[in-house]
Amino acid sequence: MQQRVLKVLEFGKVKEQLIKHAASSLGKQKVENLIPSTNYEEVVYMQEQTDEATKVLRLKGNVPLGGITDIRPSVKRAIIGSMLSSIELLDIASTIYGGRQIKKFIEGMVEDDIDIPILKSYVDQILPLYEVEQSIKHCIDDNGVVMDGASDKLRTIRQQLRSSESRIREKLENIIRSSSAQKTLSDAIITIRNDRYVIPVKQEYRGTYGGIVHDQSSSGATVFIEPQSVVDLNNTLQEARVKEKQEIERILFELTGEVAEVGEDLLQNVEVLADLDFMFTKAAYSQKTKASKPIMNNNGYVRIFKARHPLISPSEVVPNDIELGKEFTSIVITGPNTGGKTVTLKTLGLFTLMAQSGLQIPALDGSEMAVFENVYADIGDEQSIEQSLSTFSSHMVNIVEILNKVDSNSLVLFDELGAGTDPQEGAALAISILDEVYNRGARVIATTHYPELKAYGYNREGVINASVEFDIETLSPTYKLLIGVPGRSNAFEISKRLGLKDDVISRAKEHVSTESNTVENMIASLEESKKEAEAELTEAEEIRKDAEQLHKELQQQIIEFNDKRDKLYEKAQQKAVDTVDKAKLEAEEVIRELRKMRTDQNALVKEHELIDAKKRLEGATPTLVKKKQEVQKRKENQDFRSGDEVKVISFNQKGHLLDRIGKKEWQVQIGIMKMKVNEGDLEYISRPKPVETKPLATIKGKDYHVSLELDLRGERFENALVRVEKYIDDALLAGYPQVSIIHGKGTGVLRSGVQEYLKNHRSVKSTRLGEVGEGGSGVTVVAFK
């Protein structure tokens, strides 16, 4: 990839956003060195890496990558024999620990049957190196200080140091507290000069204490003297400090040696951790931009759904669908300035660079991207003062370079092709250049102002027109890309909206050729047809989704019903087996008693005893009764009525009749599902008895039916509670043990209000949210006392 193309398409700005998500300098370095790959297999593998990391973040929220640093320089120095500082060793221990944590984290996810084979293959390469980490942490604290316990010798030396310091301070404190100290000392303090303890003495009393002068104040009025009485103690202290330094160096050398022994393993760990940090950096960026994994191909086909340029604010960006490389390999975009033509070019170019770098793209799932060998772009004002080139000349220099290199595995982006010169010549050049790139087999998108190029897409196979939509009412672009519709001139409409007189506009129209007017009218018709088609497609898609959801819910209900039925059969079968086993045991007991009676009574068993034993044996035999619900068949002259309990034969499910739809069709309520069923598929079971409550009969009538559910969706809060109160009373009068109240999910205000009311109702036994097949949290199921 040309560096110039990376700059023009602002790939560097994407890397600036990406680097903010790196957890360590290792990941940041990877981002800084990131360039798009042109190898198809490598690109597919990088996308798989990012996708697995995205899956982990989606499931776990974050990953333990803290404490990892770039320790490679320190490790290499250790290998060649240099002594590492305590801070360097501490960083090495921290990185070893960080590697072990991420290894444990990923392996835990694998044990939970989460499919992340690439990440597992990486953490398998991480070596724990627990002994080295513990050796370092046993000797060095979190602040990088070598601890007393690092060795017995260091502990002894540190004890001597503390003892010497204590004795020195004690002697000096006696001096500064003496009666003469106020006269001879500038200040009653103990301080340090040249690593030796001293006291501040007035210049005129410098001979009072003897000893060594180490420093004096800037005015010369005070000298810092080490009294003769502590010189020997200070000497002892200095000797101990030298021994401490030597022992610390010995310990650090020893630890450095341990690091050197596992140096190659450490370097391998760091490389793996760098790759892992980079993967999760890309994944975090995908989450931030709401990106998705593109399907990669190697045949130059691009199809992006609702593409959003990652460098434009989410509140301002307009998603667009872009397709190229199958039915057509060239797109010519026309339309007004600032309408979004250049953004479309940059979006496709930047998405290509991102996808080939292993980054997910800000678009909907199912988008496809191609791996191109080269991406060429001629975008922006290329005027060069240094080279004395005009805008047109500088564009042509760039285009000539592109034409010298372009091939069938290239993506070419031309912005305002042929601009900056005579319109007629510029249009002719633009057509010729597009023909040349098309004949080379490259994928190309070009933007232009030239009306001649509007017909270009109609005259050549594999080329299509496109435009950016312009709203005449608001006099502003909508930034929406319309593939298949060429851009039209809006000069007359805009002028009229801005107040230009009609007669002036009419005279202007007379100067426009009949062919141009025909083309403009055709374009306007295409735009209107496309809008209508998109609206109808959106409506059809919503209907399709609703039907799919309904189908899924019905399937789920049938599955749940079959599961429950099977479980009941198994339970009944087991109960029967248990009953038979119990009967056999009792039968054996009866037989034993008969034999005992025969033996005890010398085979003389009286008749009444045999009869009694036989009765017991017969009583022990299990009677398996297969319960059948008495189904009252519908008489030929008996009609179905709303509220009847029926069985839908084809689904083997019970339900209630709601309303007659046609002559032979009914709407049947099965659980939370409502469906149309032919009378021939219905089997009558029972009819609810009318409630013998006079007020109800008076008010509702004898045929009044209360539905098993109340639908409150779309109701205002106050009206909803009034309906709930009335419905609960009606359901209680109807004798229902359980009903459902549909309030929807929404903000949860209506659900909370309904449940609060039900909780305080004296006749309500319990409430619960619906299960998966009942509507989930959008339904409250009410059981009565």
Side-chain angles (χ1 to χ4, degrees), residues 263-314:
E264 295 302 325
D265 294 337
L266 280 170
L267 293 176
Q268 175 183 307
N269 281 7
V270 172
E271 292 298 331
V272 174
L273 291 172
D275 289 335
L276 288 172
D277 189 10
F278 182 50
M279 290 182 216
F280 286 108
T281 298
K282 293 187 291 182
Y285 181 65
S286 296
Q287 284 192 331
K288 177 71 179 299
T289 57
K290 297 180 180 178
S292 65
K293 175 191 172 186
I295 302 168
M296 303 305 302
N297 66 74
N298 205 19
N299 53 22
Y301 178 58
V302 174
R303 189 183 186 191
I304 312 173
F305 301 107
K306 304 300 179 187
R308 294 168 280 110
H309 196 290
L311 302 179
I312 299 177
S313 171

Side-chain angles (χ1 to χ4, degrees), residues 588-605 609-610 613 616:
E588 290 175 359
E589 180 65 25
V590 170
I591 292 171
R592 280 197 298 271
E593 288 186 11
L594 283 173
R595 288 173 178 169
K596 186 173 183 297
M597 288 167 60
R598 184 177 62 185
T599 303
D600 293 345
Q601 301 180 20
N602 298 319
L604 295 174
V605 180
E609 292 173 338
L610 285 172
R616 286 181 60 196

Side-chain angles (χ1 to χ4, degrees), residues 571-585 622:
K571 187 176 180 181
Q573 187 177 12
Q574 184 61 44
K575 187 175 181 180
V577 171
D578 294 342
T579 305
V580 170
D581 291 342
K582 182 179 178 182
K584 286 180 180 179
L585 291 174

Side-chain angles (χ1 to χ4, degrees), residues 508-522:
K509 288 182 178 179
E510 293 174 2
H511 296 289
V512 180
S513 65
T514 304
E515 292 81 1
S516 295
N517 279 326
T518 303
V519 171
E520 292 298 323
N521 291 334
M522 177 190 69

